[in-house]
Amino acid sequence: MPIQDYLDIDPQIVSATAPVALETTAIAHGLPYPQNLAVAERLEAAVSTHGGVPAWCGILDGRLRVGLSRPEIERFARGADLPKVSRRDFAPLLAEKGSGATTVAGTMILAHAAGIRVFATGGLGGVHRDVAESLDISADMAELARTPVAVVCSGAKSILDLPKTVEALETLGVPVLGLWTDYFPAFQVKASGLKVDRRYDDPAVLARAIRQQGDLGFGGMVIGVPVPDAEALAADDVEAWVAQALADARRAGVVGKAITPYLLKRLVDLSGGRTLDANIALLENNAAQAAKIARALADLSAVSSGL
Ligand code: PSU
Ligand code: MN
């Protein structure tokens, strides 16, 4: 049975020309309730305002879901206890008819199964700073290598080792592109100092590269979009908070998939909420840019099919 046999797609998304996938882990585990519910609504509005159709991805009661109702989104917003679902978790969860919030990797799988090419989120998972001891490399990296979805994001989270994350993407053959930037963004910080493979200043030109990647039958792409100026944080500030949060995590013995949500929460406390404001601003902006890219991609298809 193909994956589609387990998938329910909202009919509005099936007929949409410019759908944009959105992930439920960022809502369930990346942001606190009830702000996360308000953020979910703002992300939908950002996508719609720019001509896209929001497509929330997650797993509910043993079904793969693309497109969620308001009460279902609320379930994820209140769902800090829902499992965080990546590729390895799909089969056991479906067998149990369980529910879970999908990570970047999990959301890419659902988006691809639903025929969606563009996905907006905050930051990728990547190579962790203690990789030499922990071998902790997010499954997002391997998913980007194999699944043809363009992930519009503000780079990777500041809690990671960004140079190693960019190297891993190169090894895996994943294009790392920048929209209005020469640099791989560092989440709440505008630029990491690491160059992207190519800079684009026009979503329509970028859409051509996404289409070409699909025509070649290659995997995913990273589209880096920097956090808006007004909410951007200084690298030194973030670095100090991250160092403290990592030390706290070590002391508390937090490991594995719990580490990312723990650190994100700790950063909000240590920064007096500033990392949260930046996180919300960049999510909203990425959703808007992703909708523009999805529209441009739809226009390309319309031209080539003679519509
Ligand atoms: N970035 C955020 N908030 C998040 C995440 C990323 O701003 O909640 C989530 C994404 O779902 C990403 C996941 O795929 O963290 C990576 O987790 P891990 O490092 O355990 O693979
Ligand atoms: Mn991990």
Side-chain angles (χ1 to χ4, degrees):
M1 277 206 316
I3 188 169
Q4 280 78 15
D5 289 354
Y6 301 91
L7 178 67
D8 296 325
I9 313 176
D10 183 319
Q12 275 188 317
I13 295 168
V14 175
S15 58
T17 52
V20 174
L22 299 169
E23 68 157 290
T24 39
T25 288
I27 296 299
H29 304 293
L31 299 165
Y33 182 83
Q35 285 106 313
N36 56 2
L37 196 55
V39 172
E41 289 172 19
R42 281 168 61 176
L43 296 188
E44 290 180 17
V47 170
S48 305
T49 303
H50 292 88
V53 173
W56 287 104
C57 298
I59 301 183
L60 278 179
D61 309 315
R63 295 293 296 173
L64 306 178
R65 297 287 306 274
V66 174
L68 298 171
S69 67
R70 188 48 45 86
E72 287 168 339
I73 288 164
E74 180 140 8
R75 219 170 130 185
F76 283 101
R78 292 174 179 275
D81 55 334
L82 282 173
K84 181 176 143 189
V85 181
S86 198
R87 177 175 282 268
R88 64 166 184 179
D89 308 299
F90 272 56
L93 195 64
L94 287 181
E96 288 157 17
K97 306 226 177 301
S99 304
T102 45
T103 61
V104 168
T107 301
M108 288 178 76
I109 294 170
L110 293 183
H112 179 50
I116 300 173
R117 304 281 300 279
V118 181
F119 160 28
T121 190
L124 300 173
V127 180
H128 283 258
R129 295 183 184 201
D130 65 350
V131 64
E133 298 93 62
S134 66
L135 202 67
D136 191 347
I137 301 173
S138 174
D140 294 352
M141 298 282 102
E143 202 60 46
L144 278 160
R146 68 195 290 182
T147 302
V149 172
V151 183
V152 180
C153 60
S154 297
K157 283 161 292 176
S158 40
I159 55 174
L160 300 168
D161 185 320
L162 295 184
K164 290 194 179 80
T165 298
V166 170
E167 285 296 337
L169 289 166
E170 180 182 336
T171 302
L172 293 165
V174 178
V176 177
L177 311 178
L179 185 56
W180 300 303
T181 183
D182 291 306
Y183 296 99
F184 188 66
F187 206 51
Q188 307 102 334
V189 178
K190 278 197 98 76
S192 62
L194 303 157
K195 287 266 181 138
V196 291
D197 301 334
R198 198 172 287 272
R199 173 194 177 118
Y200 290 85
D201 291 284
D202 179 356
V205 180
L206 176 55
R208 275 190 238 149
I210 296 173
R211 185 190 162 95
Q212 188 68 59
Q213 176 89 344
D215 288 350
L216 291 169
F218 287 1
M221 297 174 115
V222 176
I223 315 292
V225 179
V227 58
D229 283 326
E231 283 84 8
L233 301 180
D236 291 351
D237 289 344
V238 173
E239 195 47 45
W241 297 324
V242 168
Q244 179 67 50
L246 286 168
D248 295 346
R250 215 168 300 127
R251 212 168 309 119
V254 184
V255 289
K257 67 201 243 176
I259 191 94
T260 294
Y262 175 91
L263 292 173
L264 289 173
K265 250 177 233 114
R266 208 54 208 111
L267 287 179
V268 175
D269 294 340
L270 290 166
S271 68
R274 288 175 67 201
T275 59
L276 181 60
D277 293 342
N279 198 345
I280 293 171
L282 65 86
L283 275 165
E284 195 171 358
N285 184 48
N286 294 347
Q289 305 316 324
K292 291 184 201 165
I293 295 166
R295 276 244 55 89
L297 199 56
D299 292 344
L300 282 180
S301 308
V303 168
S304 69
S305 66
L307 289 174

